[in-house]
Amino acid sequence: METNQTEPVSEMNVFSRIVNLFVTPSKTFEALIAKPDWVTPLVFIFLMFTAASILLKDVIQKEQAVATKEAIMKNPQIPDSQKQESADQAISMMKKFWAVGIGIGFIAVLVIYLLGGLFLHIGGKNIMKGEGTYLQVLSIFGYSGLVDVLSGIIKVPLMMANHTMRVDTGLGMLVASDQTRTPLYSFLSKFDIFTFWQLAILIIGLTMLYKF
């Protein structure tokens, strides 16, 4: 019988949940609704954040240094005679407190993760009149975030190879490389295939939970 050949959703292991998220997301969300798991995706997100911070340290610091110097050079409140010195000091300070920035990044990731789930839970309760629990919503939100982890696995090696943080998988590729720090690029880069994929998976999970 089929029930003897299929793993019960409530007993689906971590590997099966992750694989099914990208193949048959409804199976993963069915398992999460029966037995929430918000820790696993958070661990993967932290691991991706740590790996990216280590592997891309030189690339990130280089681009931050360029952006910092440009901002100081364009600042009319700083005398021209002091701009280069101010830029050097700011860049030196940035590199010196790199580890502190990583620590703050970890806290920011955790806060965004927990608040994101809370926002969706409140919306589901008050707008969609759903009966889902916070941990169920947080689990769905977290697992949808694994799409972003996959994006990092693909993009980080490309960033390392090309020595740039810019790797476009969406409308950002329409903007010239010398326009990376423009409002237009910031806007268009949001329209990314991985962003839409993550949103679609999140909608599937919330639809299953709130039955709308």
Side-chain angles (χ1 to χ4, degrees), residues 53-188:
S53 299
I54 295 173
L55 296 174
L56 297 173
K57 178 181 177 181
D58 292 340
V59 177
I60 294 172
Q61 288 187 345
K62 178 182 176 181
E63 294 199 0
Q64 287 182 338
V66 171
T68 298
K69 185 173 182 178
E70 285 184 359
I72 290 177
M73 291 302 176
K74 293 178 180 178
N75 191 338
Q77 297 181 347
I78 301 177
D80 291 342
S81 60
Q82 298 179 11
K83 286 183 177 180
Q84 184 60 54
E85 181 181 357
S86 297
D88 292 340
Q89 290 177 347
I91 293 171
S92 175
M93 190 70 66
M94 174 192 68
K95 293 180 178 180
K96 185 180 298 185
F97 287 95
W98 174 257
V100 176
I102 299 301
I104 295 174
F106 270 106
I107 296 174
V109 168
L110 179 60
V111 170
I112 292 172
Y113 186 85
L114 297 176
L115 288 182
L118 180 61
F119 175 79
L120 292 173
H121 176 58
I122 293 174
K125 282 285 188 181
N126 296 283
I127 299 176
M128 293 174 281
K129 307 300 181 182
E131 298 298 329
T133 68
Y134 172 62
L135 291 184
Q136 286 175 321
V137 176
L138 185 62
S139 299
I140 291 171
F141 176 64
Y143 268 81
S144 70
L146 292 181
V147 174
D148 196 42
V149 174
L150 176 62
S151 171
I153 292 174
I154 295 173
K155 291 181 178 181
V156 167
L158 295 174
M159 293 174 179
M160 293 173 62
N162 297 322
H163 304 287
T164 177
M165 292 296 294
R166 177 172 175 175
V167 174
D168 295 312
T169 51
L171 295 183
M173 65 179 63
L174 300 176
V175 181
S177 58
D178 61 349
Q179 300 296 312
T180 299
R181 284 186 288 276
T182 63
L184 176 62
Y185 177 74
S186 297
F187 174 72
L188 291 179

Side-chain angles (χ1 to χ4, degrees), residues 32-63:
L32 292 175
I33 291 171
K35 187 178 181 180
D37 171 29
W38 60 273
V39 176
T40 297
L42 182 59
V43 170
F44 276 95
I45 292 170
F46 275 149
L47 288 175
M48 187 69 249
F49 179 80
T50 302
S53 299
I54 295 173
L55 296 174
L56 297 173
K57 178 181 177 181
D58 292 340
V59 177
I60 294 172
Q61 288 187 345
K62 178 182 176 181
E63 294 199 0

Side-chain angles (χ1 to χ4, degrees), residues 9-22:
V9 293
S10 60
E11 299 177 8
M12 188 181 293
N13 59 45
V14 172
F15 178 77
S16 296
R17 289 197 296 267
I18 293 175
V19 170
N20 278 304
L21 179 75
F22 299 104

